[in-house]
Amino acid sequence: MYFFSVHQRVCIWNWTDESESPECQVDLSPKYGCQNQLLFNPFDNTQLVSNSITGDVNGHIKFYDGNLKLINVYNEFSLDPIRSISFSKEKPSISDLRYPKDCTLDAKPFIIRNFVLSTTHATAVHVNAQINVPQTLLKEHVEPLETVACHPKQPLVAMGSHSGTIKVWDYEHKKAVCSRVFQPHKQIQCITYDPQGFYLAVGFASGALQIVDACTLQSDGKEGLHYSQDSITHLTFSQDSSYLAAAVSRTVTLLRRCKEGTQEVWKYQGRHHSHYKPIQDLLFGVDLDSSQPRLLSLGMDRWLVEYDLQNSGEDGLLILSSERIEQSAVPTCMVWYPPLTPEHFLLTGIFLMWHSSDPKREIS
């Protein structure tokens, strides 16, 4: 067991006894700089080295010899700040001619073991030392998860975070299926699958919107849609996947899926500033008489608004009806009641304020 003191003293302890003093210790000269990594020689436990392999905040990996002279640098991997490095126990093949040259004047073959490194952004990367090829082993969310969505037909759940990462997880086989880091837009705010499971819509805090393939998380090469500078808070598809609606603060924006030649594209259909307080929920339904899609929004202003999809266009998203559904309670969400009867019912969640106790949520 070992540790560093404030004054850069390396102490080695025998952790198997209760001695209060280290087995040995050494004070390090300030000329070596701050030492923050230690590594024992795996074949000789009497040899200990500090900061011999170094990874920096620029994502670069530097190798030094015993005299602290630079002999090689890996700076082409475009990595995040490096947190740790670990080398394989398998000895490299000295006879292999594929090893790169070091950066000394002699340009000798730079023979090292393969290694794995981790970064501050929750990434683990394996580096093949012979051909200088990095392979990402693990990419996790480095910032809080903001949204999740379940696939409508498969045992998959997609998770999006403010780091711009979406990861799709197979919850039956307990494994990751695919992932993607979105650039330049980050801070994923909401995601949703269409009812057929073909598309995944991604809304960002920047107001950007991307519609990607649900299987690969890849888009058609376009940079996406951008109709607002405010954060997208809600996304919802119609039951036939022909419409996509997005809520941004007090405004609803509508897109429609159309064909252009052999390609399917999403076209802007209009928007409406329909609430004077933030939208709490956004929901598609189906008209019982015509089987056409219905779109409703529920605001913190206590208004339930339905939109006229059939007569709306690029000139604007028209309102079909609006109704104030509460007088004092604040609605928080809504959902269709299961179609157990010939009629359709809409359930809403409300937030009640009590004078003598804490706020209380109820379903009405």
Side-chain angles (χ1 to χ4, degrees):
M1 180 179 292
Y2 56 83
F3 69 89
F4 285 116
S5 68
V6 176
H7 302 288
Q8 290 285 280
R9 173 178 296 170
V10 180
C11 302
I12 300 179
W13 302 75
N14 185 350
W15 64 274
T16 60
D17 62 30
E18 299 180 357
S19 174
E20 297 184 1
S21 300
E23 293 285 319
C24 61
Q25 64 185 39
V26 60
D27 293 331
L28 302 179
S29 172
K31 70 179 182 180
Y32 297 128
C34 179
Q35 306 292 295
N36 51 29
Q37 293 288 335
L38 283 176
L39 183 67
F40 276 100
N41 185 336
F43 303 103
D44 187 349
N45 60 11
T46 65
Q47 295 182 356
L48 178 66
V49 66
S50 67
N51 281 29
S52 66
I53 298 149
T54 62
D56 60 27
V57 294
N58 296 318
H60 300 166
I61 309 154
K62 300 177 181 178
F63 291 85
Y64 299 86
D65 62 13
N67 297 318
L68 300 183
K69 292 182 179 180
L70 183 68
I71 57 175
N72 209 1
V73 178
Y74 291 87
N75 57 8
E76 68 277 11
F77 295 159
S78 300
L79 298 173
D80 304 318
I82 295 173
R83 183 76 178 180
S84 66
I85 303 175
S86 178
F87 284 87
S88 170
K89 294 183 179 180
E90 183 179 349
K91 292 183 179 181
S93 174
I94 300 178
S95 61
D96 199 314
L97 301 178
R98 292 183 297 170
Y99 284 97
K101 305 296 183 182
D102 62 26
C103 60
T104 63
L105 293 177
D106 295 333
K108 298 178 181 178
F110 186 62
I111 302 175
I112 60 170
R113 304 169 187 231
N114 297 340
F115 58 93
V116 174
L117 57 89
S118 65
T119 74
T120 57
H121 290 180
T123 303
V125 178
H126 177 270
V127 178
N128 187 313
Q130 295 179 340
I131 55 178
N132 284 2
V133 173
Q135 177 189 3
T136 300
L137 303 177
L138 186 65
K139 179 67 177 178
E140 293 294 340
H141 299 278
V142 67
E143 294 187 28
L145 291 178
E146 187 66 26
T147 178
V148 297
C150 289
H151 195 283
K153 298 182 181 296
Q154 299 180 35
L156 304 176
V157 59
M159 300 165 283
S161 70
H162 270 194
S163 63
T165 301
I166 288 184
K167 175 173 282 191
V168 179
W169 183 263
D170 185 328
Y171 53 81
E172 280 191 354
H173 297 91
K174 308 295 188 300
K175 66 177 183 179
V177 176
C178 60
S179 65
R180 178 181 173 184
V181 179
F182 287 82
Q183 297 288 355
H185 303 290
K186 290 189 175 181
Q187 294 191 338
I188 295 172
Q189 197 70 25
C190 54
I191 58 176
T192 187
Y193 285 102
D194 79 292
Q196 308 304 318
F198 297 145
Y199 304 102
L200 180 69
V202 185
F204 297 85
S206 65
L209 169 64
Q210 287 204 24
I211 305 170
V212 301
D213 184 278
C215 297
T216 64
L217 300 183
Q218 299 303 311
S219 53
D220 56 5
K222 297 181 181 179
E223 295 186 0
L225 310 169
H226 213 146
Y227 300 115
S228 173
Q229 300 300 318
D230 296 324
S231 174
I232 297 178
T233 57
H234 298 81
L235 288 169
T236 182
F237 284 95
S238 61
Q239 293 297 318
D240 59 1
S241 301
S242 61
Y243 289 100
L244 171 63
V248 179
S249 185
R250 303 166 180 84
T251 303
V252 173
T253 300
L254 183 68
L255 305 177
R256 187 171 186 176
R257 183 164 54 92
C258 305
K259 273 202 170 185
E260 286 188 352
T262 59
Q263 289 188 332
E264 290 187 339
V265 297
W266 291 89
K267 286 191 173 182
Y268 174 77
Q269 283 292 108
R271 62 190 304 181
H272 199 111
H273 192 111
S274 46
H275 296 269
Y276 64 87
K277 287 188 177 181
I279 293 172
Q280 298 282 67
D281 209 349
L282 191 64
L283 184 66
F284 270 104
V286 178
D287 186 89
L288 290 179
D289 297 326
S290 64
S291 299
Q292 294 298 314
R294 299 174 63 187
L295 176 61
L296 301 95
S297 63
L298 182 65
M300 192 179 288
D301 55 10
R302 303 179 178 88
W303 284 88
L304 178 65
V305 178
E306 182 170 2
Y307 301 88
D308 187 352
L309 301 183
Q310 306 305 314
N311 298 309
S312 297
E314 294 187 4
D315 295 334
L317 177 60
L318 304 179
I319 289 181
L320 183 63
S321 64
S322 59
E323 181 179 351
R324 182 172 178 133
I325 61 172
E326 295 289 344
Q327 295 301 317
S328 59
V330 178
T332 58
C333 58
M334 60 181 174
V335 66
W336 290 107
Y337 187 76
L340 304 178
T341 66
E343 298 180 283
H344 267 192
F345 295 98
L346 190 66
L347 302 180
T348 62
I350 59 174
F351 188 79
L352 295 175
M353 297 299 295
W354 297 88
H355 296 290
S356 59
S357 62
D358 293 334
K360 184 178 181 182
R361 292 182 183 270
E362 289 192 358
I363 300 295
S364 63

